[in-house]
Amino acid sequence: MPLPLLKLATVAEYQQHYVHTFCTAPIMTCDGIPVYFKKSLFSHAFYESVNGPDDTFSLARAERMDWITLTLKDATTQRFQGYVHKKKKYDPRRRVELKFGDFIVVLVMSLDKGGNLKAEFLTCYPLAAGRRKKITAAPLWNAKDCKNAL
């Protein structure tokens, strides 16, 4: 059974839903890592760049917004290291979560004051056709490699 899509009338309603649902408290992942969401990242996550930075609202991304929590909390979600294009290499401090077909959530990992992992939500989107293979070719994400890189 496919997951329901979030159907709201305006971009402002999607933004309000994002802030209310995600920016008030961290979401704990299935492996106990708190994920923090910034209000300012709404545009980065739910707009697509066509001719300039983040200039076209992406209904395909916004309708799947509620899938973020499900992806983070599901122990069967596949987790890979993210690729950093500027450095042209995989980075264990980036965590790409793949679930529900081709839906991904990208997190940036860091350490809290106590030395425990925490994450910041960066973006989410359904993969374009043919991109799943590139994601799944990445090294698997693990906490040890991540902490060693921090």
Side-chain angles (χ1 to χ4, degrees), residues 126-146:
L127 293 171
R131 300 285 293 170
R132 181 183 179 88
K133 188 179 235 181
K134 185 173 183 174
I135 296 293
T136 58
L140 293 176
W141 183 91
N142 68 68
K144 181 182 176 189
D145 290 343
C146 180

Side-chain angles (χ1 to χ4, degrees), residues 13-45:
E13 288 179 15
Y14 281 105
Q15 187 167 14
Q16 183 179 13
H17 180 78
Y18 170 78
V19 170
H20 176 74
T21 304
F22 299 101
C23 298
T24 56
I27 295 174
M28 295 300 287
T29 64
C30 64
D31 54 348
I33 299 170
V35 179
Y36 296 87
F37 294 77
K38 291 183 179 178
K39 293 177 188 178
S40 62
L41 284 176
F42 177 83
S43 294
H44 181 71

Side-chain angles (χ1 to χ4, degrees), residues 81-93:
Q81 291 181 22
Y83 189 79
V84 179
H85 293 281
K86 288 180 182 177
K87 295 181 180 181
K88 299 195 182 316
K89 66 178 187 173
Y90 291 101
D91 186 345
R93 296 171 294 186

